[in-house]
Amino acid sequence: MIAGGEFALIRRFFAPLAGPGGLELRDDAAVLDIKPGRSLVVTVDAVIAGVHFLPDDPADLVARKALRVNLSDLAAMAAEPLGYLIAAALPGATDEAWLEAFASGLRSDQREFSIVLLGGDTTATTGPLTLAVTALGTVETGRALLRRGARPGDRIHVSGTIGDGAFGLKALRGEAGSVAEGDRQYLIDRYRLPQPRLALGRKLAGLASAAIDVSDGLAADLGHICDASGVGAVVWAERVPLSAPARAVIAAGSGNLAAALTGGDDYELLFTIDPGRAAALKEVCEELRLPVTEIGEVVSAGPVRVIGPGGKELALGPGGYRHF
Amino acid sequence: MIAGGEFALIRRFFAPLAGPGGLELRDDAAVLDIKPGRSLVVTVDAVIAGVHFLPDDPADLVARKALRVNLSDLAAMAAEPLGYLIAAALPGATDEAWLEAFASGLRSDQREFSIVLLGGDTTATTGPLTLAVTALGTVETGRALLRRGARPGDRIHVSGTIGDGAFGLKALRGEAGSVAEGDRQYLIDRYRLPQPRLALGRKLAGLASAAIDVSDGLAADLGHICDASGVGAVVWAERVPLSAPARAVIAAGSGNLAAALTGGDDYELLFTIDPGRAAALKEVCEELRLPVTEIGEVVSAGPVRVIGPGGKELALGPGGYRHF
């Protein structure tokens, strides 16, 4: 295993990643000052080998995905990330090369997102590799984006493309059918390395009426907005933005739109916005060079309905990833 | 398993525990205001069945221990707890009765420590039950107790008694020898339900020069203070406070002082203090009705040395619990 035990492991692989409030990971907790006028935003999400990533996925990508699914939660609240803590339960077979790659993945994303490591905990486990990341950010007080603000008549928008994560997992499992190698790789990359939409989330504060990140599946996550807001929603299936590789999987008969809408792991932002703010939203998208697509409308009640070509409602089956 | 899936599980067992900033656990993250003049203190610690507690320990005590080991970290920093997040990886066999008892343990400690649930994540795992708790607190800016302030000549103190956690684990395993049933139960309770020394920690701000909570073992944790402060330490073995039940285990030949000093799981506060502040410390202990014992002295260099009866140094063997 690891020479020198837990403390040597922390000193060697994790302490170099610690930021100012992390006190070199030498203390019992991190100490952080929050700027006046800003509120703290905090979230935790665990990823487990065999559930959220494949046990032989590269360690640097495992680290970055564990971090990014949490940054995506901050993005959905319009927060600016500060740092993170990580609790790692490591199987006995974890070796130094794996930890080296894992730490280098964290390092690279710390640079990309201007965040620092604030604390953590490492333990040996007899079970699968389990990583619980707590992400901290801040937002101007009173400006956090919530799920509960959607109003009937608001338009439903989503960033980027939907279904790539689900089809990427299919591709990794050899179930994507006869698609070009480039398409296959594109989808796998999208599954392994989500892009938290932090810049978009920041711009949506004061603009969107409700927001969520798409982790459980677009249909299920839209359902969360509807539940929290006490509204219903209609989605036009043909407007749901799909990447060319995702279309190729569907054309090859290895996937369909329902799978894209319920597969999850997209980490795009799904939000509602008053139609009167369309021009302001267009400006934001152009500034960020990030495509955002209007896919439906908030209605006063009812479940999330997805209307397919010809006006027929799409049956989605159990919506979203179910852990239990 | 659990009827209704992950969201029903969260709604039923966890949402009722959520506090104001937790937004009924309906959003992607919690939003919290930190009072002006105070800094945020944040820590994460995971507990795993078979490592930190026994798989058949009562669910309410598992919940409370997972929480308390983190509150103990806040205590060591002189922080006042605000709330917590919990990432739970649950084995397939987890049933509703277990979750009900688990949630009731959390509820009881929320009342005891005036804290609220701020967020979480539940996942199914093929491995052992794994709980990562992130605890948040605040401290007056600039007043956090750190490990790095110990100076030669400072006196080393510890609260409560040492070794009960280690001997309690022994008792649970049937290895405590022929001690009275009352003693056995006392030690088991100490192992299962640590008492985070929050009130003492708050009073030590501005009084102690360095502090840590005893989780890895008194000798190892004193070593952490010494490393961080660039000093050494001498501990007088016969001054180390032991409970009557712990003495009974030693008398029965089933444990010794070295095991008490390296066993860990005590969650008492270990701190250093200028001898000139002895009167102020005495006042604090009397006010809190919490015994605090002077056990040694900080010296300018060297390892942690434990001096036994007759002036002979005690050989402790590998110090503290080692995960790797």
Side-chain angles (χ1 to χ4, degrees), chain B residues 137-212:
Chain B
T138 64
V139 67
E140 297 83 354
T141 299
R143 301 264 287 183
L145 269 175
L146 305 181
R147 296 181 185 173
R148 61 190 59 169
R151 287 171 299 254
D154 284 353
R155 300 299 193 264
I156 301 163
H157 287 76
V158 70
S159 64
T161 55
I162 289 297
D164 298 332
F167 292 161
L169 177 58
K170 255 185 198 296
L172 270 173
R173 289 180 171 150
E175 298 164 3
S178 58
V179 298
E181 182 51 30
D183 287 348
R184 221 185 128 261
Q185 202 52 56
Y186 175 90
L187 295 169
I188 289 175
D189 287 351
R190 288 273 291 160
Y191 171 73
R192 283 181 167 163
L193 199 61
Q195 301 297 330
R197 301 302 187 188
L198 287 157
L200 177 62
R202 304 277 304 136
K203 296 276 184 190
L204 290 179
L207 187 58
S209 53
I212 193 170

Side-chain angles (χ1 to χ4, degrees), chain B residues 74-89:
Chain B
L74 295 185
M77 304 286 282
E80 198 170 350
L82 274 180
Y84 66 103
L85 300 92
I86 189 161

Side-chain angles (χ1 to χ4, degrees), chain B residues 56-76:
Chain B
D56 57 354
D57 275 350
D60 59 327
L61 295 180
V62 169
R64 296 169 79 186
K65 182 161 181 179
L67 209 46
R68 287 171 178 224
V69 300
N70 281 283
L71 296 179
S72 182
D73 284 323
L74 295 185

Side-chain angles (χ1 to χ4, degrees), chain A residues 196-247:
Chain A
R197 301 301 187 189
L198 288 157
L200 177 62
R202 303 279 303 137
K203 296 278 184 186
L204 290 179
L207 188 56
S209 53
I212 192 170
D213 72 319
V214 183
S215 56
D216 294 321
L218 187 139
D221 288 313
L222 183 52
H224 296 325
I225 286 185
C226 290
D227 283 350
S229 302
V231 297
V234 174
V235 170
W236 311 104
E238 72 267 35
R239 293 204 196 158
V240 173
L242 300 175
S243 67
R247 287 182 192 280

Side-chain angles (χ1 to χ4, degrees), chain B residues 27-179:
Chain B
D27 274 276
D28 286 298
V31 181
L32 274 181
D33 292 328
I34 306 296
K35 284 190 201 128
R38 298 186 76 91
S39 298
L40 176 75
V41 181
V42 57
T43 182
V44 66
D45 258 325
V47 296
I48 303 181
V51 181
H52 303 86
F53 59 92
L54 302 182
D56 57 354
D57 275 350
D60 59 327
L61 295 180
V62 169
R64 296 169 79 186
K65 182 161 181 179
L67 209 46
R68 287 171 178 224
V69 300
N70 281 283
L71 296 179
S72 182
D73 284 323
L74 295 185
M77 304 286 282
E80 198 170 350
L82 274 180
Y84 66 103
L85 300 92
I86 189 161
L90 305 172
T94 309
D95 61 16
E96 303 198 358
W98 193 94
L99 281 166
E100 188 66 72
F102 183 77
S104 102
L106 294 177
R107 194 177 313 119
S108 125
D109 269 6
Q110 289 191 194
R111 273 195 302 262
E112 182 158 349
F113 299 106
S114 303
I115 54 176
V116 293
L117 179 61
L118 293 170
D121 183 37
T122 54
T123 339
T125 182
T126 54
L129 175 66
T130 303
L131 302 165
V133 171
T134 304
L136 279 74
T138 64
V139 67
E140 297 83 354
T141 299
R143 301 264 287 183
L145 269 175
L146 305 181
R147 296 181 185 173
R148 61 190 59 169
R151 287 171 299 254
D154 284 353
R155 300 299 193 264
I156 301 163
H157 287 76
V158 70
S159 64
T161 55
I162 289 297
D164 298 332
F167 292 161
L169 177 58
K170 255 185 198 296
L172 270 173
R173 289 180 171 150
E175 298 164 3
S178 58
V179 298

